[in-house]
Amino acid sequence: MREIRVLGDPVLRTPAEPVKGFDRELRRLIDEMFEAMYAVDGVGLAGPQIGVPRRLFVYDINRRKGHMINPVLTVDDPEEVLDEEGCLSVPDRQTGTPIYAPVARAAGVTVEGFDRLGRPQRVKARGSLARCFQHETEHLDGKLYVDRLPKPEARKIMLRT
């Protein structure tokens, strides 16, 4: 089972490289990412979160399950929605559970990329799925949700990790 990397691990702050090969190894990696995500009751997981600096993520939220390779995110509805957000890579050091905070995200997005076989795919999303796509895409750019918080709030969270 792949280990979830946590705040402080440099892989989480390094922009991920594009996936180049759509082979058996990639398909196995995607399966392992789902396994790791489900083991900790997550709804999304990006490559860097398991130490793989490649541009891919998996998700399973509100009965929408899938994966996206080399995603390109476009904001369709820039209206900001404030909602609680946590991250498997930002756990409370005492409980091991994600620390939640209110984070503003765009209301609607479209993500385009590829599936595990290299076929193009495009997914439009609103609500929780749109939030998930934005969160996971930011992981691929070396960013975490705490980067969107006011400095005092981010500092409080970082002291708990």
Side-chain angles (χ1 to χ4, degrees):
M1 171 101 51
R2 300 272 186 152
E3 181 181 327
I4 306 289
R5 303 298 177 94
V6 297
L7 190 63
D9 190 316
V11 73
L12 295 172
R13 294 301 194 171
T14 305
E17 296 291 323
V19 171
K20 293 188 175 144
F22 293 83
D23 54 14
R24 182 178 299 149
E25 186 178 322
L26 176 65
R27 292 188 294 277
R28 187 172 339 127
L29 173 61
I30 291 167
D31 292 341
E32 289 174 3
M33 289 175 69
F34 274 113
E35 182 182 344
M37 180 183 74
Y38 290 142
V40 291
D41 296 323
V43 297
L45 187 71
Q49 290 183 276
I50 58 165
V52 178
R54 295 289 176 263
R55 295 191 68 80
L56 76 154
F57 65 79
V58 298
Y59 61 93
D60 189 346
I61 184 167
N62 297 334
R63 290 181 259 152
R64 302 267 317 258
K65 176 181 175 180
H67 62 278
M68 190 65 70
I69 300 165
N70 296 334
V72 175
L73 185 135
T74 304
V75 173
D76 300 328
D77 182 350
E79 180 183 343
E80 288 194 337
V81 177
L82 190 65
D83 202 357
E84 291 289 307
E85 192 168 317
C87 181
L88 299 172
S89 293
V90 186
D92 184 294
R93 75 174 161 282
Q94 292 183 354
T95 66
T97 59
I99 302 170
Y100 287 83
V103 177
R105 297 276 186 188
V109 300
T110 297
V111 178
E112 295 183 74
F114 300 91
D115 71 6
R116 64 177 56 215
L117 299 175
R119 298 177 299 208
Q121 60 177 348
R122 182 175 190 251
V123 182
K124 293 182 80 57
R126 296 190 67 75
S128 298
L129 186 59
R131 178 171 295 278
C132 177
F133 285 171
Q134 291 169 82
H135 180 107
E136 300 309 330
T137 301
E138 283 186 352
H139 271 301
L140 305 179
D141 296 330
K143 298 176 183 171
L144 298 169
Y145 83 101
V146 292
D147 300 335
R148 294 181 151 270
L149 301 175
K151 287 188 195 254
E153 182 67 24
R155 187 173 188 284
K156 278 195 264 183
I157 290 172
M158 288 188 216
L159 289 172
R160 291 176 54 195
T161 62

